[in-house]
Amino acid sequence: DADVTQTPRNRITKTGKRIMLECSQTKGHDRMYWYRQDPGLGLRLIYYSFDVKDINKGEISDGYSVSRQAQAKFSLSLESAIPNQTALYFCATSGRNQETQYFGPGTRLLVL
Amino acid sequence: SQQGEEDPQALSIQEGENATMNCSYKTSINNLQWYRQNSGRGLVHLILIRSNEREKHSGRLRVTLDTSKKSSSLLITASRAADTASYFCATVRGGSYIPTFGRGTSLIVHP
């Protein structure tokens, strides 16, 4: 089984809808991250969490919120989706004091 | 904002040839990492080189780091069609454990 899983893998939604993307990991890592990837722009950090009680904004947090339900679970919510949030979203994890990141398979989101 | 910028943006070669990708960055770093992404998939870590290292090898991969020029290169020797992917450099600054990713180099290896 994959160490980092994301659900759903694909999602189509309409402008104004609230949606949640979920991430689970079995690596036992403390640190979890949410990125979005747009063509030609690489990966940009949305939010990150160094442990269950720690949540930090990344480069592009506006329009997003997160919840760290447990060490193994980190969810990303779009409160009111807009078309320019159409992107590929990745969850990643890393161990404490380790810089190497382990990525999930991604969620492809289309906002109409 | 991107810290590392890969060059070229796209590279097309024949199987068996070597592929070289470069990464330039702007501020001092603690380490630099290279990741690979197959189309539409998650990134996979390839190699990490620290600021006090100049060269590292892993199988057919060779990474160099020149901190005076703020640049790194990734060399894939004897490329295979299966090496077709996007390759990203990611830099980690001192005091941070979070890599900042570049925009990537798209490599196509023709069989």
Side-chain angles (χ1 to χ4, degrees):
Chain A
D1 287 344
D3 294 322
V4 183
T5 57
Q6 293 183 232
T7 57
R9 295 294 314 279
N10 294 280
R11 179 74 184 268
I12 300 174
T13 191
K14 295 182 179 179
T15 297
K17 294 290 187 181
R18 182 183 189 276
I19 67 163
M20 179 182 289
L21 310 182
E22 300 186 343
C23 176
S24 295
Q25 52 113 348
T26 59
K27 298 189 72 67
H29 286 166
D30 290 323
R31 301 180 174 189
M32 298 186 73
Y33 310 80
W34 275 105
Y35 292 91
R36 68 176 275 175
Q37 184 177 31
D38 299 273
L41 292 180
L43 273 75
R44 292 182 291 168
L45 183 63
I46 305 172
Y47 270 96
Y48 63 100
S49 170
F50 279 4
D51 64 43
V52 174
K53 297 181 181 180
D54 176 77
I55 301 289
N56 303 280
K57 293 182 177 180
E59 179 185 355
I60 52 163
S61 59
D62 287 348
Y64 302 94
S65 63
V66 292
S67 173
R68 185 81 183 267
Q69 302 94 323
Q71 186 203 37
K73 296 184 182 297
F74 193 35
S75 299
L76 176 72
S77 294
L78 285 67
E79 298 301 326
S80 179
I82 56 177
N84 78 358
Q85 291 178 312
T86 292
L88 189 53
Y89 289 85
F90 288 105
C91 173
T93 73
S94 66
R96 188 173 301 178
N97 299 330
Q98 294 179 352
E99 303 95 337
T100 300
Q101 297 199 337
Y102 298 85
F103 283 79
T107 294
R108 191 171 298 276
L109 175 65
L110 173 60
V111 182
L112 300 175
Chain B
S1 60
Q2 267 78 22
Q3 157 79 316
E5 292 294 338
E6 293 90 343
D7 172 63
Q9 291 186 353
L11 182 60
S12 180
I13 61 174
Q14 294 296 126
E15 208 167 27
E17 295 179 340
N18 294 342
T20 299
M21 289 158 269
N22 302 296
C23 173
S24 59
Y25 56 92
K26 298 175 183 176
T27 63
S28 62
I29 61 172
N30 184 14
N31 68 74
L32 186 145
Q33 305 172 42
W34 285 92
Y35 289 78
R36 164 194 170 126
Q37 182 183 32
N38 288 77
S39 181
R41 304 277 185 96
L43 279 70
V44 176
H45 180 260
L46 295 176
I47 199 164
L48 180 153
I49 186 165
R50 298 201 178 276
S51 59
N52 61 353
E53 298 176 308
R54 292 297 168 259
E55 186 172 314
K56 286 189 83 169
H57 296 255
S58 177
R60 293 184 295 113
L61 305 181
R62 172 177 171 256
V63 170
T64 61
L65 179 64
D66 187 334
T67 54
S68 67
K69 295 181 179 179
K70 292 186 171 59
S71 68
S72 173
S73 67
L74 170 66
L75 169 66
I76 304 174
T77 60
S79 63
R80 305 167 182 168
D83 294 328
T84 294
S86 292
Y87 292 82
F88 293 86
C89 72
T91 54
V92 177
R93 301 177 191 179
S96 167
Y97 293 98
I98 304 174
T100 301
F101 290 85
R103 298 169 193 257
T105 291
S106 175
L107 173 65
I108 297 175
V109 181
H110 299 279

